[in-house]
């Protein structure tokens, strides 16, 4: 079987930083690939219950205001 014939999901997360004990998830994303084509997508912002550092906003484009609710 070639990868182009497989069905799989690729996931990605964005966080407020790199230390698991100190930082929180701010976004979850996934794409489903079937026969080499993206057939479905999922994206959800997550409120981390804290401010998003400026360096993370520069990297991800996600601001505290975007995840407030």
């Amino acid at each position: 079987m070639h990868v182009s014939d497989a069905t799989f999901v690729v996931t990605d997360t964005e966080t407020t930083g790199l230390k698991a004990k100190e930082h929180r998830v701010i976004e979850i994303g996934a794409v489903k690939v079937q026969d080499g084509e993206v057939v479905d997508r999922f994206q959800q912002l997550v409120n981390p219950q804290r401010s998003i550092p400026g360096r993370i906003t520069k990297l991800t484009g996600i601001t505290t205001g975007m995840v407030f609710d």
Side-chain angles (χ1 to χ4, degrees), residues 9 12 25 27-28 38 44 47 50 55-56 62 65-66:
V9 176
D12 181 45
V25 172
E27 182 181 33
I28 300 167
V38 174
Q44 180 69 53
N47 185 342
R50 61 180 64 182
R55 70 185 190 290
I56 299 300
I62 301 169
M66 292 169 68

Side-chain angles (χ1 to χ4, degrees), residues 50-63:
R50 61 180 64 182
S51 296
I52 297 175
R55 70 185 190 290
I56 299 300
T57 295
K58 284 183 181 179
L59 180 67
T60 65
I62 301 169
T63 66

Side-chain angles (χ1 to χ4, degrees), residues 23-42:
H23 296 104
R24 306 271 179 91
V25 172
I26 56 174
E27 182 181 33
I28 300 167
V31 293
K32 182 178 181 180
V33 180
Q34 186 172 30
D35 298 324
E37 301 286 330
V38 174
V39 296
D40 204 1
R41 297 174 185 269
F42 173 81

